[in-house]
């Protein structure tokens, strides 16, 4: 009977992937020099106070390049990411900023403008959760791995072994605050959907909110 129950439980959710203990999952956060990601960003900006267009939809491209590595006072390796922006995927890119990524104590972290956040924990198994702001002064924000798939189609690309991190999901009558990221093994971040908008009036479906809704989709990754 026990064997039957175990079989049913393991088969009730198709495409589920949970890394085994020996699989640390560090490949979900590659950060070697030369690694390059190009993302298409589809953005919606809501501005009810604009004199003209109150809903602005546009597309641009972001390129992240691991341009250098450093070691801090504790000997921890930090990968320096240079971020560039362009209006065309294969056009000229303009430098915007730099930030750092690193893996330390089974955590994947980003450090930007001296603010340290936790992106992922290892091994990246379903239902693991953590406070992304545990090492900064911002309010607590619980992230959770809600899905792990052995195969997934995102945009034009099929990925092997993806994990979905729910960053927040607040849905009130005057507030929508949502964040979801997807990481693929050997590729890193392949998808991000971020929504944040507020309204002033309850129950007014015609009211234009103030805020944004944007989606990052990885177009190409090179080493």
């Amino acid at each position: 009977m026990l064997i039957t129950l175990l079989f049913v439980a393991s088969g009730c959710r198709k495409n589920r992937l949970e890394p085994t203990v020996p699989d640390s999952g560090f490949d979900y956060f590659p950060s070697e020099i030369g690694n390059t990601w190009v993302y298409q960003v589809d953005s919606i900006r809501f501005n009810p106070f604009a004199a003209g267009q109150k809903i602005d939809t546009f597309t641009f491209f972001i390129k992240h390049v691991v341009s250098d590595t450093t070691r801090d006072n504790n000997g921890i390796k930090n990968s320096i990411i240079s971020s560039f922006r362009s209006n065309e995927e294969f056009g000229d890119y303009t430098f915007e900023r730099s930030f750092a990524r690193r893996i330390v104590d089974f955590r994947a972290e980003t450090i930007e403008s001296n603010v340290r956040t936790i992106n992922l924990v290892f091994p990246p198994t379903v239902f693991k959760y953590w406070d992304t702001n545990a090492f900064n002064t911002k309010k607590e924000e619980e992230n959770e791995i809600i899905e792990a798939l052995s195969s997934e189609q995102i945009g034009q690309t099929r990925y092997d072994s993806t994990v979905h991190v729910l960053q927040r999901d607040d849905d009130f009558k005057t507030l929508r605050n949502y964040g979801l990221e997807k990481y693929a093994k050997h590729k890193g971040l392949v998808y991000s959907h971020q929504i944040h908008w507020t309204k002033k009036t309850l129950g007014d479906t015609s009211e234009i909110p103030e805020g944004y809704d944007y989606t990052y989709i990885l177009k190409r990754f090179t080493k």
Side-chain angles (χ1 to χ4, degrees), residues 26-161:
F26 292 154
D27 286 342
Y28 285 95
F29 209 74
S31 56
E32 298 303 317
I33 288 181
N35 284 0
T36 301
W37 299 260
V38 175
Y39 298 96
Q40 178 176 314
V41 184
D42 295 312
S43 176
I44 305 173
R45 287 281 179 178
F46 304 98
N47 185 0
F49 308 107
Q53 191 168 352
K54 299 181 185 296
I55 302 177
D56 190 11
T57 302
F58 53 97
T59 297
F60 58 94
F61 296 86
I62 294 292
K63 179 189 291 186
H64 288 168
V65 181
V66 182
S67 54
D68 197 5
T69 60
T70 62
R71 296 270 178 184
D72 64 17
N73 294 333
N74 296 315
I76 298 171
K77 175 185 170 183
N78 289 263
S79 297
I80 308 304
I81 314 296
S82 297
S83 179
F84 305 84
R85 175 170 169 160
S86 176
N87 290 326
E88 299 178 4
E89 181 179 355
F90 297 99
D92 294 328
Y93 282 79
T94 302
F95 175 79
E96 289 196 314
R97 71 190 198 284
S98 292
F99 56 93
R101 287 179 180 155
R102 66 185 192 171
I103 294 176
V104 55
D105 295 335
F106 294 94
R107 300 186 307 270
E109 300 180 346
T110 295
I111 303 173
E112 185 168 3
S113 301
N114 294 319
V115 176
R116 181 177 163 194
T117 55
I118 303 173
N119 305 97
L120 200 57
V121 294
F122 303 104
T125 53
V126 174
F127 306 132
K128 273 195 173 182
Y129 62 91
W130 63 94
D131 176 13
T132 191
N133 294 320
F135 296 103
N136 62 56
T137 58
K138 295 182 179 181
K139 70 177 183 178
E140 180 178 349
E141 185 174 291
E142 185 177 286
N143 286 195
E144 181 181 2
I145 297 176
I146 60 171
E147 193 87 63
L149 304 176
S150 59
S151 179
E152 181 176 8
Q153 182 83 25
I154 301 175
Q156 302 299 315
T157 305
R158 178 162 290 279
Y159 296 98
D160 295 327
S161 306

Side-chain angles (χ1 to χ4, degrees), residues 27-30 37 39 101 119-120 124 130 143-149 151-155 157 159-167 178-194 215-218:
D27 286 342
Y28 285 95
F29 209 74
W37 299 260
Y39 298 96
R101 287 179 180 155
N119 305 97
L120 200 57
W130 63 94
N143 286 195
E144 181 181 2
I145 297 176
I146 60 171
E147 193 87 63
L149 304 176
S151 179
E152 181 176 8
Q153 182 83 25
I154 301 175
T157 305
Y159 296 98
D160 295 327
S161 306
T162 61
V163 294
H164 298 186
V165 177
L166 182 65
Q167 299 172 310
Y178 172 83
L180 177 72
E181 291 187 339
K182 298 182 181 182
Y183 293 83
K185 209 166 189 179
H186 308 297
K187 298 292 191 299
L189 180 68
V190 295
Y191 174 92
S192 178
H193 189 191
Q194 305 294 324
T215 304
Y216 277 65
I217 294 181
L218 183 67

Side-chain angles (χ1 to χ4, degrees), residues 201-218:
T201 308
L202 288 173
D204 185 355
T205 57
S206 64
E207 179 187 354
I208 295 175
E210 181 179 11
Y212 59 80
D213 180 333
Y214 65 81
T215 304
Y216 277 65
I217 294 181
L218 183 67

